[in-house]
């Protein structure tokens, strides 16, 4: 069992940066898989980036080279550093963890990128 709380979303101009945080209610060292997803209005939720307990990362093509996923075990927090933001990045961003055979989700944080 784990509770996840996202923060750090907001309004930013194209080309700007944001850092999203996902605070977990337990040691993230015990969670093999964590990731960030996003959902834009009228679209399906899509994977943005993932990270494992061994720090193996994976990125969607749209995020690669601009976004960096990381985790801080001391703070029980996962991050998504987003640089060179584009209007197409506008979405609600969700934290995800896979633990004991099921997915857990945060409440989401809104990211809006103006053109």
């Amino acid at each position: 069992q784990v509770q996840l709380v996202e923060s750090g979303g907001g309004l930013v101009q194209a080309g700007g940066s944001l850092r999203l945080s996902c605070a977990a209610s337990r040691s993230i060292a015990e969670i093999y898989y964590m990731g960030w997803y996003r959902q834009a209005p009228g679209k399906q939720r899509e994977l943005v980036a993932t990270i494992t307990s061994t720090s193996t990362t994976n990125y969607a093509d749209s995020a690669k080279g601009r976004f960096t996923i990381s985790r801080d075990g001391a703070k029980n927090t996962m991050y998504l550093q987003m640089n060179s933001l584009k209007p197409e990045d506008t979405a609600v961003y969700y934290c995800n963890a896979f633990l004991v055979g099921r997915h857990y989700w945060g409440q989401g944080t809104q990211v809006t990128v103006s053109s």
Side-chain angles (χ1 to χ4, degrees):
Q1 292 271 62
V2 63
Q3 287 74 52
L4 306 169
V5 180
E6 303 97 331
S7 62
L11 175 64
V12 65
Q13 295 183 50
S17 298
L18 286 172
R19 188 175 79 158
L20 306 183
S21 299
C22 172
S25 63
R26 64 183 293 165
S27 172
I28 61 173
E30 301 170 348
I31 305 172
Y32 173 71
Y33 165 92
M34 298 185 74
W36 288 96
Y37 290 71
R38 67 187 183 189
Q39 187 167 21
K43 295 186 177 181
Q44 297 288 103
R45 188 172 298 185
E46 66 177 358
L47 177 68
V48 178
T50 62
I51 188 167
T52 70
S53 60
T54 56
S55 297
T56 298
T57 59
N58 185 263
Y59 297 90
D61 288 343
S62 61
K64 196 170 186 177
R66 300 188 298 125
F67 295 2
T68 302
I69 189 170
S70 62
R71 53 199 288 167
D72 185 335
K75 296 182 177 180
N76 291 340
T77 301
M78 178 180 66
Y79 301 96
L80 184 68
Q81 178 67 47
M82 304 188 294
N83 299 324
S84 302
L85 284 162
K86 305 174 181 179
E88 306 94 271
D89 296 318
T90 295
V92 177
Y93 284 70
Y94 296 92
C95 179
N96 171 262
F98 188 71
L99 181 68
V100 196
R102 65 163 289 180
H103 288 274
Y104 295 84
W105 298 92
Q107 82 289 348
T109 185
Q110 177 71 48
V111 172
T112 302
V113 184
S114 61
S115 60

